[in-house]
């Protein structure tokens, strides 16, 4: 299967589409054994297509396949939701970004996800899953903070100053997780967030 990370997006789309067609043409779909669970190969093929289309900035098709991938392996659908949140944010849908990031957090805090992590025998593999969890939580906090900021500005603009101040104080006293691998949009990062201080929010 073509690796979409190598930026051969068209090649990845062709190969992953063929893989889906081949898997669905069989009487029974092919499953890949992963530790103590089995995964329908369509999970990997749809994720591959979603990644490739996202690389081409074809966000409509990317969202379609990210959403499809979640039904094949719900316990590990956090990456799909993280990307759906990012696409929503990039296309100006802040509410969608908040919604998908919340769904991602539900996944990484679910018993199904925790069971998968607990059964990983390789410490490095466990560490990756835990880093994924922190990244999802950091993303959710970021998007929800942006939604709160939007609400604060709206209340200020209509003259509801008390509500605006209350929202601002809630933002300031929240302890945010900063994940070094989290990129919500190129050129837009949170440089410093500490309890009681938002030193810089670019954008």
């Amino acid at each position: 299967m073509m690796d979409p990370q190598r930026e051969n997006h068209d090649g990845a789309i062709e190969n992953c589409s063929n893989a889906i067609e081949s898997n669905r043409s069989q009487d029974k779909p092919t499953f890949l054994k992963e530790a103590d669970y089995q995964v329908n190969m369509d999970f990997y093929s749809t994720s591959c297509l979603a990644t490739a289309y996202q690389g081409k900035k074809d966000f409509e098709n990317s969202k379609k396949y990210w959403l499809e991938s979640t039904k094949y392996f719900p316990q590990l659908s956090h990456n799909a939701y993280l990307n759906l949140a990012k696409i929503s944010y990039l296309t100006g849908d802040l509410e969608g970004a908040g919604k998908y990031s919340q769904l991602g957090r539900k996944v990484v805090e679910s018993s199904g996800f925790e069971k998968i992590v607990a059964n990983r025998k390789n410490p490095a593999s466990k560490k990756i899953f835990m880093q994924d969890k922190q990244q999802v939580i950091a993303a959710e906090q970021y998007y929800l903070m942006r939604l709160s900021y939007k609400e604060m500005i709206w209340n200020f603009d209509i003259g509801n100053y008390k509500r605006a101040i209350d929202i601002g104080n809630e933002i300031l006293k929240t302890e945010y997780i900063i994940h070094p691998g989290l990129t919500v949009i190129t050129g837009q990062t949170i440089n410093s967030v500490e309890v009681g201080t938002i030193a810089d929010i670019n954008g």
Side-chain angles (χ1 to χ4, degrees):
M1 189 175 291
M2 188 72 65
D3 181 4
Q5 298 297 335
R6 294 181 181 176
E7 297 190 359
N8 184 358
H9 304 305
D10 291 327
I13 290 168
E14 180 181 358
N15 286 348
C16 294
S17 296
N18 290 339
I20 288 177
E21 186 177 341
S22 175
N23 195 37
R24 294 177 183 175
S25 67
Q26 303 176 53
D27 293 333
K28 293 183 179 180
T30 302
F31 283 81
L32 180 67
K33 180 72 173 177
E34 288 277 1
D36 63 333
Y37 51 86
Q38 290 187 324
V39 187
N40 187 325
M41 284 300 294
D42 280 1
F43 171 74
Y44 298 104
S45 298
T46 52
S47 297
C48 170
L49 282 169
T51 303
Y53 278 117
Q54 191 167 337
K56 287 170 65 71
K57 294 183 170 51
D58 182 346
F59 296 137
E60 185 175 346
N61 272 312
S62 183
K63 286 184 73 171
K64 170 187 170 182
Y65 286 108
W66 280 129
L67 284 168
E68 188 174 342
S69 75
T70 64
K71 70 182 182 182
Y72 295 113
F73 201 2
Q75 305 95 312
L76 287 185
S77 58
H78 59 284
N79 184 57
Y81 287 125
L82 192 64
N83 280 284
L84 284 163
K86 181 176 180 179
I87 290 171
S88 297
Y89 188 79
L90 285 168
T91 54
D93 181 8
L94 186 55
E95 286 74 16
K99 178 188 75 174
Y100 287 124
S101 66
Q102 286 178 306
L103 289 171
R105 182 162 186 169
K106 284 183 180 179
V107 171
V108 297
E109 292 182 340
S110 69
S111 58
F113 180 85
E114 290 175 357
K115 182 180 178 183
I116 288 171
V117 175
N119 288 336
R120 305 306 288 184
K121 294 180 172 57
N122 186 336
S125 179
K126 283 190 177 186
K127 183 178 180 181
I128 289 171
F129 276 115
M130 296 314 296
Q131 287 175 339
D132 284 352
K133 181 174 182 177
Q134 289 293 93
Q135 185 175 30
V136 169
I137 294 172
E140 185 215 32
Q141 288 186 326
Y142 177 78
Y143 294 125
L144 294 186
M145 180 268 289
R146 291 302 304 268
L147 281 168
S148 293
Y149 179 78
K150 181 180 178 181
E151 184 185 357
M152 180 184 72
I153 295 299
W154 180 80
N155 275 280
F156 181 84
D157 288 343
I158 65 171
N160 192 354
Y161 302 122
K162 183 180 185 307
R163 178 60 182 153
I165 291 170
D166 288 343
I167 294 171
N169 285 332
E170 282 298 316
I171 293 173
L172 290 171
K173 74 179 185 181
T174 300
E175 183 174 359
Y176 294 93
I177 295 173
I178 301 302
H179 190 282
L182 178 64
T183 306
V184 292
I185 184 170
T186 303
Q188 185 171 62
T189 58
I190 303 176
N191 293 334
S192 176
V193 179
E194 299 173 357
V195 180
T197 304
I198 299 183
D200 182 88
I201 301 176
N202 177 17

